[in-house]
Amino acid sequence: MPHFGCQSISSQNQQCRLHRPAGVSGQAWARYLQAGSAANLHRLRRSLPKHIRQSQHSFVLCASAAPAQTASRRPKATANTDSELLDCVIVGAGISGLTLAQAFASEHSTTVAKVIITEAQDRVGGNITTKTSDGFQYETGPNSFQPSDPVLKLAVDVGIANDIQYGNPKAPRFVFWEKKLRPTPSGPDVLTFDLLSIGGKLRAGMGLLGLRPKMPDQEESVEQYVRRNLGKEVFERLIEPFCSGVYAGDPSKLSMQAAFGKIVALEKSGGTILGGAIKLIRDKKKNPGPPRDPSLPPKPKGQTVGSFTGGLRMLPEAIAHKMHNKLRMSWKLQSVSKNKDNTFALVYDTPDGQKQLKTKSVALTVPAYIAADLLQDHCTAAADKLRGFDYPPVGAVTLAYPMSSIRDDRKDKQGEVPGFGQLHPRSQGITTLGTIYSSSVFENRAPRGQHLVLNFIGGATNRGIVDQSHEDLVSQVDKDLRVMLVKPGAPAPKTIDVTVWRRAIPQFNIHHLDDVQELKEDLVKQGWSGFYLGGNYVSGVALGKCVEYSYTMAKEVAQYLESNGAAGHVSGPQTTQDDTFYQAEIPVTNGSGNKQS
């Protein structure tokens, strides 16, 4: 952290060295240091003087032996000796890797007791990057999550359930079509909304009832599937902008099975999408499953999204706080190999020189292209498949407009801008993929009188953004917004942030599931049982999918260790037998490896 009139203090108990900003009393700073959770840290951060709280030099909770410290001050990690055999090494401290570590601790602590999480960067969270500036709080990566039970369980387990924020479930979503922002259907208005014509609605209804071409034997793209089942209008006006805005993908290449597998399953089980939905409801009534965990907070009604009072970064920081003694930051993995005793050796470049870890299992939660480089010398076939996964670039452009700049027809009676955001079909002449109304979705994201918007640009059909300047990207987004949301003659917006993720979202294109399965089989053929692949190219790109899959992976690793007699604390090497590689479920959030400009 740069010095800006700070006073240095040290604490033998915390074993670190921190800086107290000028203007913050020693008593207040002590309370900050002694905070017992990420939630407390966030509340105390908000109590600091405004000029400190909103400074670029904001304080972050770090993975260390101390409850809090600056990102640039890390405790020195102690290297494992040759006699120390770990149960699992998790490579990557993005949301997938951190959730996996928490799942080991909460559900498999006896079987998977000795765990180390290594991260190449000096911060946890991967692409989750909440920032604050001039009274604005914003995300430059993932921006929200679906409030599924696995995500809620994770929040409860790490002590931040009371900091969950939900968006308004009644907030409309808009699609720009024929020079107008039109709301998508959200319930009873399914028959009256004007995004589809009467003919388009009739075609969709006929498809739901089964009056459409039968399902082919070969895998279908999203475009092929939707056109066959629901018709041209549903694809062009609803699904295509959704794929562009959420996956940053090309729906003519995206696999329907990989991206929307549950819908495909409905048609397979019931003969039609509607028939499958009815069958699913009946099956759930007959077999309701186990009761919901009473410790979880109640699910919000309706379709909505969630975050935290301090932004999404509260989740990885809270996990890191609980896992501080297991985290190794700025550890860059150079090689991984399989030993003759069926253990793994991982060699790292660290701030303290080269270190080596020995472990019974490995969970690699880095992006596919990084995994490919690590496996190239050992499992060439698997590495080639990993390297073939496509990660198109995406720009996240965060802008703020005075409410007076917003078109009057976009405001409600209270003068606010209702809604979650808007999506833009490629056929409508808009370059920006989609826009999220950040200050409308969640509270306290912008100063009063300001409208904060997060805009996405680029993707699979517009890769040239990597060659454009930040000024050019802002200009393009602002130009697009003046067609739909902002008054044409309004003053220029305040640019809050521009982040270009050069390798952003893995594309679940046709054959993706087959490729994932084949690369796992390739690893097993090479004798690499106990080596697990995770991250969003396996689980799905949404934050909730990453969390959900990490709990599944934790169970798989625990079963592997148990079946090979590797449970508990073992100080010496053990010989294991080949085991069936875990089954991946089939977009958020990776650990180290992504670059931003």
Side-chain angles (χ1 to χ4, degrees), residues 2 6 14 44 108 123 158 163 203 217 228 266 308 310 326 373 384 448 453 461 475-476 482 484 497 575:
C6 294
Q14 303 301 332
L44 285 168
H108 309 284
R123 53 174 290 274
V158 299
D163 289 278
R203 171 62 180 88
D217 294 332
R228 177 175 64 82
L266 291 178
F308 300 94
K326 298 181 179 181
D373 292 340
D384 289 344
R448 187 170 181 81
V453 289
T461 60
S475 177
Q476 181 62 62
R482 290 172 189 272
M484 304 170 284
D497 186 271
T575 301

Side-chain angles (χ1 to χ4, degrees), residues 397-401 435-438 451-455 481 485:
V397 180
T398 304
L399 305 176
Y401 292 90
T435 299
I436 294 175
Y437 304 164
S438 301
H451 186 54
L452 184 68
V453 289
L454 170 59
N455 308 273
L481 290 178
L485 180 68

